[in-house]
Amino acid sequence: MLEQGKIYIGTSRKPDDTINKPEYLDLRYANRHGLITGATGTGKTVTLQILAESFSNAGVPVFCADIKGDLSGIAAMGEFKDFLDKRAKEIGFTDYDFQEFPVIFWDLYGEKGHRIRTTLTEMGPLLLSRLINATDAQEGVLNIAFKIADEGGLPLLDLKDLQALLNYMGENAQEFSNKFGFISKASVGSIQRELLILEQQGATKFFSEPALKISDLMRTTNDGRGAISVLAADKLMMNPRLYSTFLLWLMSELFEELPEVGDPEKPKLVFFFDEAHLLFKDAPKVLIERVEQVVRLIRSKGVGVYFVTQNPMDIPQTVLAQLGNRIQHALRAYTPMEQKAVRTAADTFRQNPDFDCAEVITTLGTGEALVSTIEAKGAPSIVERTLIRPPSSRLGPLTEGERKQVMDVSPVRGLYDEDFDRESAFEILTRKAEEAAKQQAQEEEKKATRQPGTIGGWTLPGFGTEDKPTTTQRQQKRSGYQRETVVEAAMKSAARSAATALGAAIVRGILGSLTRRR
Ligand SMILES: Nc1ncnc2c1ncn2[C@@H]1O[C@H](COP(=O)(O)OP(=O)(O)OP(=O)(O)O)[C@@H](O)[C@H]1O
Ligand SMILES: [Mg+2]
């Protein structure tokens, strides 16, 4: 059953239920992306588990999210169970054995895995707008904020950096509006409130440093197996927008960081996007277009993206069209809506003359699916009714102790545990504000002690110096000039520190995240 260069998914059945043939996912076409769908409890997570196992064995690193905690068992050796044994025999899987896999646990909150973080600068305005569900006006302000930060080199690392910059923008709204376009103080205020909510939801932990290095997701073991990065997402799922924005950022990061490789023998990384409907729910059109673009282009970087969701209709048509490898578990069809969904799911397959797809979808058993994968010449295989193979690792969660053991021997142990708070927008702007306050205090002092030509609100004649500007004019000019200097000085000095901090000019990619031009 196990073949070089292919992943064994399971065994298909003939109309009379006897064994037909093994069904494979060809590693050469694994970067043509995929889709795993099915109603709840039909076997999606187990399918994800066996795919992740096989990719790892083939030396392909995997990233996946563990929504319910039931995927963590992939780090432990499987145990004999009657129903697993029965399934293996049923499908003629004589090579079936138990195995544990090299897992790296990650967690945005740092509780069930190593901390995984990024900075606001790296995430960029488009995804941040999505994260706080920004209105158009708010998005406009965020774009300007990032522009000020990028051009002026004010590193926006954490939420307090952005808060500080927004304060600063609010205070100098007029100057910044002249330079960058209208900044409404109301929008600034509402973004600040949204950021506070994010903070309360624990996002402070996520937006900080050290930021995740993509190479840490692409590790292989000394015996040539790909690391399986498992993101603990049970708590994260309480904030679905943070969950989906985070995965989107990660995908875009992979896209921006990895070099072109064309069509490799096997993928460089496989990325499972579980609960993928969250990604597209109420998403603005422009975001969907950008996602479609990243999914299309990321293929040539050797990354395979597999969406996992209940129903193919959860995924926009343009994205769906890019997903070549399909595993469709059972769907229910009681309501007209459900019947329509079944029809749509059935219609996406290359039909098999032996059965009616739509009919079969509603009668598939647990751990059974309609399978069609990309074959030679890039065409989809004829759809087959397939019993999915049982997993080699444990079905079900790890205990807390077991998880800790895995984390203790992790290759990234200690790399991400401590927060690191270097000088960024918050510190720079605070210092600038202090300097400006000091300067102003000095000015006031000067004014108080030496006020040539003025007594209270009166003006004395100039005695031959009438062509000089009056004192009020002069003061206006000076204060205008002075404020301008604060804005510009902040940007210039920040540019210097950021240039050294980020090491390069800032260029933003398709999804607005940072690209580093080396
Ligand atoms: N390939 C398989 N071999 C053996 N048993 C399986 C297989 N697939 C699924 N099962 C059984 O079905 C149960 C439910 O499967 P699974 O957790 O994958 O469903 P799901 O579609 O992810 O559900 P949910 O939407 O609720 O997350 C498993 O715990 C297991 O007992
Ligand atoms: Mg599941």
Side-chain angles (χ1 to χ4, degrees):
M1 289 291 178
L2 301 179
E3 270 191 35
Q4 201 67 22
K6 288 176 172 184
I7 284 178
Y8 170 56
I9 300 174
T11 303
S12 56
R13 295 196 286 170
K14 293 185 184 150
D16 64 0
D17 282 354
T18 56
I19 280 183
N20 180 26
K21 61 179 172 63
E23 299 297 327
Y24 294 105
L25 174 60
D26 192 326
L27 284 168
R28 284 174 303 166
Y29 304 114
N31 65 339
R32 303 288 182 95
H33 306 320
L35 179 67
I36 303 170
T37 40
T40 136
T42 53
K44 296 184 298 297
T45 300
V46 176
T47 295
L48 190 158
Q49 186 168 349
I50 62 115
L51 289 178
E53 287 179 351
S54 306
F55 277 121
S56 173
N57 279 339
V60 179
V62 169
F63 183 92
C64 53
D66 187 10
I67 305 284
K68 292 186 188 157
D70 54 351
L71 192 56
S72 57
I74 197 165
M77 182 85 83
E79 294 137 26
F80 181 89
K81 294 259 165 59
D82 278 340
F83 73 100
L84 297 176
D85 190 54
K86 180 170 163 268
R87 171 62 57 98
K89 291 205 168 96
E90 217 175 343
I91 60 176
F93 186 18
T94 46
D95 305 327
Y96 184 47
D97 67 349
F98 296 115
Q99 205 188 326
E100 58 186 4
F101 290 83
V103 169
I104 305 177
F105 287 113
W106 300 95
D107 183 359
L108 263 65
Y109 304 100
E111 289 160 11
K112 293 184 171 176
H114 302 285
R115 286 280 296 280
I116 196 165
R117 313 176 182 77
T118 190
T119 61
L120 286 166
T121 288
E122 294 197 46
M123 180 170 261
L126 181 70
L127 293 182
L128 184 63
S129 297
R130 170 73 172 151
L131 180 57
I132 65 170
N133 206 14
T135 61
D136 287 350
Q138 291 165 350
E139 189 169 355
V141 170
L142 277 177
N143 279 329
I144 295 175
F146 275 80
K147 199 157 189 251
I148 292 171
D150 287 358
E151 284 181 5
L154 288 165
L156 297 177
L157 305 182
D158 48 28
L159 291 170
K160 72 178 181 328
D161 287 328
L162 185 55
Q163 289 283 19
L165 178 57
L166 287 166
N167 272 337
Y168 189 59
M169 284 168 70
E171 282 162 12
N172 301 281
Q174 193 54 52
E175 275 91 334
F176 282 121
S177 290
N178 292 343
K179 228 174 163 145
F180 296 98
F182 179 64
I183 296 169
S184 117
K185 283 192 180 181
S187 299
V188 170
S190 54
I191 295 171
Q192 290 189 302
R193 284 190 296 280
E194 289 295 333
L195 293 179
L196 276 179
I197 297 173
L198 262 189
E199 242 169 71
Q200 283 154 9
Q201 290 168 338
T204 328
K205 284 216 141 127
F206 174 51
F207 291 113
S208 58
E209 286 190 311
L212 173 75
K213 281 211 209 72
I214 287 299
S215 54
D216 277 327
L217 299 181
M218 310 202 54
R219 289 170 180 266
T220 47
T221 59
N222 292 336
D223 60 357
R225 291 186 295 159
I228 301 179
S229 284
V230 177
L231 176 75
D234 44 352
K235 182 169 170 187
L236 186 56
M237 286 310 286
M238 316 261 251
N239 185 351
R241 260 207 314 266
L242 182 57
Y243 166 78
S244 56
T245 315
F246 166 70
L247 287 191
L248 209 48
W249 164 75
L250 192 53
M251 194 168 82
S252 117
E253 190 76 4
L254 285 167
F255 171 70
E256 303 295 350
E257 289 276 303
L258 298 180
E260 290 283 330
V261 291
D263 275 320
E265 277 304 295
K266 62 184 184 193
K268 298 283 172 207
L269 182 105
V270 167
F271 187 90
F272 286 98
F273 211 133
D274 207 341
E275 301 284 347
H277 66 283
L278 294 173
L279 175 56
F280 302 108
K281 197 172 157 235
D282 307 324
K285 199 161 157 270
V286 47
L287 184 70
I288 294 178
E289 279 167 12
R290 304 275 177 95
V291 171
E292 187 268 319
Q293 210 176 345
V294 170
V295 169
R296 181 156 40 83
L297 296 174
I298 205 169
R299 202 183 107 185
S300 60
K301 311 256 172 152
V303 177
V305 181
Y306 288 68
F307 291 93
V308 185
T309 185
Q310 297 216 349
N311 198 297
M313 289 199 341
D314 296 338
I315 314 270
Q317 198 51 47
T318 48
V319 178
L320 206 55
Q322 321 263 348
L323 313 180
N325 300 296
R326 303 272 176 103
I327 303 184
Q328 172 71 60
H329 287 278
L331 288 174
R332 321 197 190 299
Y334 301 123
T335 67
M337 255 308 259
E338 287 170 341
Q339 281 152 15
K340 182 164 175 255
V342 167
R343 219 23 304 149
T344 311
D347 287 346
T348 59
F349 283 111
R350 182 171 163 198
Q351 301 299 311
N352 188 325
D354 283 347
F355 57 82
D356 176 55
C357 254
E359 201 181 299
V360 168
I361 287 178
T362 59
T363 57
L364 289 165
T366 308
E368 189 179 16
L370 289 178
V371 173
S372 167
T373 58
I374 299 292
E375 292 179 325
K377 297 202 191 103
S381 64
I382 290 176
V383 64
E384 295 287 358
R385 197 164 55 112
T386 307
L387 284 169
I388 308 294
R389 59 156 287 188
S392 294
S393 53
R394 181 191 299 170
L395 242 182
L398 290 193
T399 64
E400 247 171 71
E402 286 171 326
R403 185 187 291 266
K404 197 176 165 299
Q405 275 174 14
V406 172
M407 286 173 63
D408 280 347
V409 298
S410 152
V412 301
R413 196 183 129 207
L415 294 186
Y416 295 102
D417 298 343
E418 298 300 324
D419 271 325
F420 170 64
D421 192 6
R422 69 175 155 97
E423 184 176 89
S424 51
F426 175 77
E427 288 81 11
I428 295 170
L429 292 172
T430 308
R431 203 176 53 233
K432 284 292 151 198
E434 280 164 12
E435 277 167 19
K438 210 153 82 188
Q439 205 178 344
Q440 195 170 356
Q442 280 169 357
E443 292 286 333
E444 309 250 306
E445 207 175 310
K446 258 192 225 160
K447 249 193 282 171
T449 51
R450 185 178 54 88
Q451 292 195 339
T454 60
I455 295 169
W458 298 86
T459 305
L460 287 174
F463 301 110
T465 56
E466 281 83 355
D467 54 345
K468 277 190 187 167
T470 63
T471 315
T472 28
Q473 273 173 339
R474 197 160 65 210
Q475 274 179 347
Q476 260 171 12
K477 264 203 167 167
R478 194 201 283 145
S479 71
Y481 171 72
Q482 207 181 312
R483 245 187 286 156
E484 177 98 31
T485 328
V486 175
V487 172
E488 268 175 12
M491 295 187 55
K492 275 176 199 145
S493 88
R496 280 194 301 275
S497 60
T500 45
L502 294 168
I506 284 180
V507 183
R508 293 201 173 273
I510 296 177
L511 280 164
S513 67
L514 211 57
T515 61
R516 281 172 214 79
R517 295 291 136 96
R518 276 155 288 227

